């Protein structure tokens, strides 16, 4: 049986890599947005896809990362990309604090609370909390990122920054999926009583899933701030969270290729149909409904993990 | 030496006293059966031992240490594994992944180790996989390793649950109606597996309605009725016990 997936992935990566040399600045920017949402989708996928936690407030962590970068960069002129780890850290710590009391909530209850979370963050930003978020105007004048002395400013430069980071994300998250941690998330998604009864600290893993997802969303926020040079609360509204949620659901919960496809469909496709402006939301809705009926696991559901076949004498030592 | 001691355990659900002042000991290396009519509180006792419920009164000692206040996953880590009355597998995951769930608590690798694929993490994964396969072979379902759990026959799903419990490396295993839904052939195989578990040095406590299994496999029985213990002894003694015959086996009509 021949597996064509590696070929498809290679063609996709090749085409993507060459795209900025053939497309105009507008379309490169569309691809940049797709990449950014792919990263956000992948980070939400840990929480929603793997752990099965209905989290619709991911934009809150995205905002925290972006604002951390914006505030520190504009106040202290620290280079933007240096702030990426800090942006991730701030979002991660926030997730730790926020998620701990709500982590035991199930399904729709968690959904409601996380929707509340993203609204609280947005409104706090509008109200200029601590006088550092710039109110509804947001923060402008964020400096351009530099990488090894190269100043990243044009869309095609950002293309390589964003998709490079997306590639690293895919690489690391793929490993994470196929590990003790990734399996633990799947166990608690499938049946958390059985998972706990099998010795898995379910509360801990739910929390860590939130933290890992938030750290990545925070780092995506850093890139977003660098790309836009101006950020405002409206960039992180509830609708953003819904888009991320839809990317994961449409593409396939727990599936990396699925989430990337989801980002292309949800963020990229509407750009193709700009002329139908209002009708596109209708089509969008219809597709979502059709999918919930005919393909509940998403367009590209995850494939089962593969484990090496049994060794002859069952020896425990690896190569 | 008693591995597990229940001391005056009481659990109420509203007005219902589900478990009423129950005390018994499980000696190390024994196969003990917990029997009683439906609704006698057997599964509640199991849920108290494994920390799914908290007792209102009384204490549970495992190896001399109170486990009354520990969360379930800690109790598993200490060496108490269980299966469920209504099978609770991870139905969409493969058989080998289900068993690996049990290995989880004996592994260490976290997020960073997994992302970096450190040598220790790789060794641990390989070892866990080998141990999981060994447990599947032990209960005899190794041929189904890559099947999705929900595709197994009912009997094999029960065996898979046992394999997952064994993979946690327990000293004590609790089986809640392991023969439920099994045919005679599968039950006979199950009895062999239960004996082999004990021969590995693992103490067994089981709930079962299949009397042939109980009488054949168990060395000691505890009988519950309406949440209270009404008898305790060897299968022979229990079969003779007037109180038990009346409450559970029914009055003889011969």
């Amino acid at each position: 049986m021949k597996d064509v997936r590696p070929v498809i992935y290679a063609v996709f990566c090749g085409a993507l890599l060459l795209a900025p040399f053939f497309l105009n600045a507008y379309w490169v920017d569309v691809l940049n947005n797709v990449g950014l949402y792919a990263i956000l989708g992948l980070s939400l996928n840990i929480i929603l896809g793997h752990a099965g936690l209905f989290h619709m407030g991911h934009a809150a962590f995205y905002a925290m990362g972006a604002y951390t970068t914006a505030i520190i960069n504009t106040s202290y002129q620290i280079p933007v990309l240096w702030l990426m780890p800090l942006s991730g850290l701030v979002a991660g710590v926030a997730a730790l604090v926020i998620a701990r009391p709500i982590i035991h909530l199930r399904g729709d209850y968690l959904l409601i609370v996380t929707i509340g979370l993203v609204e609280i963050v947005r409104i706090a930003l509008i109200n200029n909390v601590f006088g550092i978020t710039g109110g509804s105007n947001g923060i402008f004048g964020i400096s351009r990122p530099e990488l090894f002395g190269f100043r990243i400013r044009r869309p095609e430069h950002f293309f390589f920054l964003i998709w490079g980071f997306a590639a690293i994300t895919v690489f690391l998250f793929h490993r994470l999926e196929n590990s003790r941690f990734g399996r633990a998330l799947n166990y608690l998604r499938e049946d958390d009583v059985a998972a706990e009864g099998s010795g898995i600290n379910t509360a801990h893993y739910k929390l860590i899933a939130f933290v890992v997802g938030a750290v990545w969303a925070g780092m995506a926020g850093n890139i977003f701030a660098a790309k836009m040079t101006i950020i405002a609360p409206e960039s992180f509204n509830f609708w953003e969270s819904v888009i991320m949620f839809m990317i994961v659901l449409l593409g396939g919960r727990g599936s990396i290729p699925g989430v990337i496809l989801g980002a292309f469909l949800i963020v990229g496709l509407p750009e193709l149909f700009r002329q139908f402006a209002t009708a596109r939301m209708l089509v969008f809705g219809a597709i979502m409904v059709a999918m919930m009926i005919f393909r509940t696991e998403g367009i590209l559901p995850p494939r089962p993990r593969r484990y090496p076949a049994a060794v002859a004498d069952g020896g425990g030592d690896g190569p | 030496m008693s591995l597990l001691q229940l001391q005056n355990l009481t659990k109420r659900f509203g007005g219902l006293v589900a478990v009423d002042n129950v005390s018994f000991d499980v000696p190390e290396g024994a196969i003990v059966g917990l029997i009683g009519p439906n609704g006698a509180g057997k599964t509640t006792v199991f849920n108290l031992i494994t920390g799914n419920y908290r007792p209102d009164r009384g204490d549970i000692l495992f190896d001399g240490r109170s486990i009354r206040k520990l969360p379930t996953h800690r109790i598993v880590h200490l060496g108490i594994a269980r299966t469920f009355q209504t099978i609770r597998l991870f139905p969409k995951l493969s058989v080998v992944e289900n068993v690996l769930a049990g290995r989880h608590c004996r592994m260490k690798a976290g997020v960073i180790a997994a992302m970096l694929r450190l040598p220790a993490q790789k060794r641990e994964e390989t070892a866990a996989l080998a141990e999981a396969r060994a447990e599947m072979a032990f209960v005899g379902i190794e041929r189904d390793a890559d099947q999705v759990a929900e595709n197994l026959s009912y009997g094999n799903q029960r065996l898979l649950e046992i394999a997952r419990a064994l993979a946690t490396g327990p000293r004590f295993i609790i089986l809640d109606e392991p023969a439920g839904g099994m045919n005679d052939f599968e039950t006979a195989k199950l009895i062999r597996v239960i004996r082999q578990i004990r021969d590995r040095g693992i103490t067994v406590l089981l709930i079962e309605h299949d009397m042939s299994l109980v009488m054949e496999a168990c060395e000691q029985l505890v009988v519950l009725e309406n949440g209270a213990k009404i008898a305790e002894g060897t299968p022979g003694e229990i079969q003779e016990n007037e109180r038990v015959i009346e409450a559970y086996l029914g009055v003889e009509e011969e």
Side-chain angles (χ1 to χ4, degrees):
Chain A
M1 196 175 72
K2 266 182 65 179
D3 193 354
V4 294
R5 284 178 311 133
V7 180
I8 294 172
Y9 295 160
V11 170
F12 170 79
C13 291
L16 193 64
L17 212 58
L18 294 174
F21 300 105
F22 296 100
L23 296 174
N24 63 29
Y26 175 78
W27 283 105
V28 172
D29 195 53
V30 169
L31 282 180
N32 289 349
N33 279 330
V34 171
L36 211 48
Y37 279 96
I39 297 164
L40 289 166
L42 289 169
S43 70
L44 180 62
N45 186 36
I46 301 279
I47 304 168
L48 172 63
H50 283 291
L53 299 167
F54 285 178
H55 167 44
M56 219 188 237
H58 214 46
F61 301 127
Y62 184 37
M64 287 173 198
Y67 268 86
T68 303
T69 296
I71 291 166
I72 297 180
N73 176 263
T74 52
S75 312
Y76 304 102
Q77 281 75 47
I78 295 173
V80 171
L81 287 182
W82 290 19
L83 293 169
M84 191 188 262
L86 183 68
S87 297
L89 190 72
V90 168
V93 171
L96 196 66
V97 174
I98 293 163
R100 191 176 282 277
I102 63 171
I103 209 73
H104 62 278
L105 296 176
R106 281 167 194 282
D108 35 5
Y109 296 99
L110 184 67
L111 195 76
I112 301 293
V113 174
T114 52
I115 290 171
L117 165 69
V118 72
E119 278 300 286
I120 290 168
V121 168
R122 186 181 66 89
I123 292 166
L125 293 173
I126 290 176
N127 287 316
N128 201 2
V129 277
F130 314 126
I132 54 174
T133 68
S136 53
N137 292 329
I139 297 174
F140 44 88
I142 303 160
S143 58
R144 292 292 188 186
E146 272 185 38
L147 203 58
F148 309 118
F150 180 80
R151 201 171 176 79
I152 298 170
R153 52 194 179 81
R154 297 175 52 79
E156 51 271 36
H157 302 160
F158 274 104
F159 176 89
F160 290 103
L161 176 69
I162 289 170
W163 283 99
F165 188 68
I168 293 169
T169 305
V170 169
F171 176 74
L172 294 178
F173 281 12
H174 174 72
R175 288 181 153 193
L176 204 54
E177 277 181 5
N178 293 289
S179 75
R180 173 176 181 259
F181 176 77
R183 286 193 304 266
L185 299 187
N186 290 171
Y187 298 142
L188 69 88
R189 177 191 65 197
E190 294 281 313
D191 184 340
D192 66 350
V193 174
E196 183 79 20
S198 305
I200 291 153
N201 186 348
T202 49
H204 172 78
Y205 277 94
K206 287 178 183 176
L207 198 59
I208 297 302
F210 253 96
V211 171
V212 171
V215 165
W216 242 263
M219 293 197 289
N222 167 278
I223 297 179
F224 178 76
K227 174 173 171 287
M228 302 307 286
T229 71
I230 170 166
I231 57 168
E234 282 316 306
S235 303
F236 310 101
N237 58 23
F238 172 59
W239 181 242
E240 293 299 305
S241 292
V242 175
I243 286 179
M244 296 176 210
F245 201 87
M246 286 197 300
I247 287 171
V248 177
L249 287 194
L250 183 75
R253 276 168 287 166
S255 157
I256 289 175
V259 170
I260 293 171
L261 178 68
F264 270 93
L265 293 180
I266 297 219
V267 182
L269 217 50
E271 294 294 334
L272 281 177
F273 299 108
R274 272 244 171 251
Q275 55 270 50
F276 304 115
T278 44
R280 70 194 170 130
M281 294 318 287
L282 191 72
V283 175
F284 224 63
I287 292 172
M288 288 305 284
V289 171
M291 227 205 47
M292 287 298 123
I293 296 169
F294 298 111
R295 215 170 157 91
T296 47
E297 285 179 276
I299 297 171
L300 291 177
R303 295 169 57 91
R305 294 186 185 84
R306 286 262 149 250
Y307 292 92
V311 265
D313 57 356
D317 277 4
Chain B
M1 163 74 201
S2 300
L3 185 60
L4 184 82
Q5 294 169 277
L6 304 190
Q7 298 174 341
N8 309 102
L9 220 50
T10 299
K11 176 69 186 175
R12 287 188 197 85
F13 294 113
L16 175 78
V17 185
V19 176
D20 187 6
N21 204 25
V22 168
S23 304
F24 66 86
D25 287 7
V26 179
E28 181 139 31
I31 301 177
V32 177
L34 185 61
I35 62 172
N38 285 327
K42 305 180 296 292
T43 297
T44 308
V45 169
F46 276 17
N47 281 329
L48 288 169
I49 297 170
T50 55
N52 293 69
Y53 298 151
R54 299 275 163 242
D56 294 318
R57 215 158 51 77
D59 205 353
I60 304 160
L61 302 183
F62 181 65
D63 204 13
R65 172 185 171 181
S66 175
I67 56 168
R68 186 167 54 102
K69 288 182 177 150
L70 295 180
T72 302
H73 66 92
R74 286 289 309 151
I75 292 172
V76 176
H77 194 81
L78 284 178
I80 301 182
R82 76 169 295 179
T83 66
F84 293 88
Q85 183 179 4
T86 50
I87 299 176
R88 294 195 87 138
L89 292 165
F90 308 112
K92 305 277 181 214
L93 300 179
S94 71
V95 168
V96 64
E97 281 178 312
N98 270 275
V99 183
L100 278 172
R103 280 320 295 169
H104 181 95
C105 68
R106 306 293 166 203
M107 298 166 76
K108 289 196 187 70
V111 172
I112 307 288
M115 281 185 173
L116 302 180
R117 251 185 220 178
L118 301 172
Q121 189 259 357
K122 275 158 75 177
R123 269 199 304 278
E124 187 183 74
E125 283 284 314
T126 316
L129 195 58
E131 280 149 1
R133 289 194 189 283
E135 295 301 353
M136 284 188 289
F138 179 79
V139 300
I141 53 166
E142 70 276 20
R143 281 191 302 133
D144 295 321
D146 296 322
Q147 291 271 354
V148 177
E150 66 184 354
N151 290 350
L152 295 193
S153 70
Y154 205 72
N156 279 351
Q157 289 193 16
R158 290 240 177 247
L159 290 173
L160 172 54
E161 251 202 324
I162 294 175
R164 182 178 69 188
L166 287 171
T168 64
R171 293 176 61 195
F172 183 60
I173 190 166
I174 298 177
L175 306 174
D176 198 343
E177 291 194 32
M182 284 189 174
N183 61 33
D184 289 350
F185 176 75
E186 289 170 323
T187 305
K189 185 183 168 193
L190 176 69
I191 292 173
R192 284 199 299 279
V193 169
I194 291 172
R195 290 214 172 106
Q196 282 165 353
I197 291 172
R198 195 265 313 273
D199 292 344
R200 282 167 59 171
I202 300 168
T203 308
V204 180
L205 175 63
L206 59 88
I207 291 177
E208 191 48 71
H209 284 298
D210 185 326
M211 277 303 133
S212 65
L213 182 149
V214 170
M215 295 302 165
E216 205 181 324
C218 299
E219 294 146 0
Q220 195 196 328
L221 295 177
V222 175
V223 189
L224 293 187
E225 189 199 15
N226 295 329
K229 186 174 87 175
I230 57 167
E232 190 173 2
T234 64
E237 287 165 9
I238 295 299
Q239 274 172 318
E240 301 298 310
N241 189 309
E242 292 286 327
R243 182 85 181 78
V244 175
I245 294 167
E246 203 176 300
Y248 183 60
L249 299 174
V251 182
E252 283 185 331
E253 301 172 48
E254 275 185 63

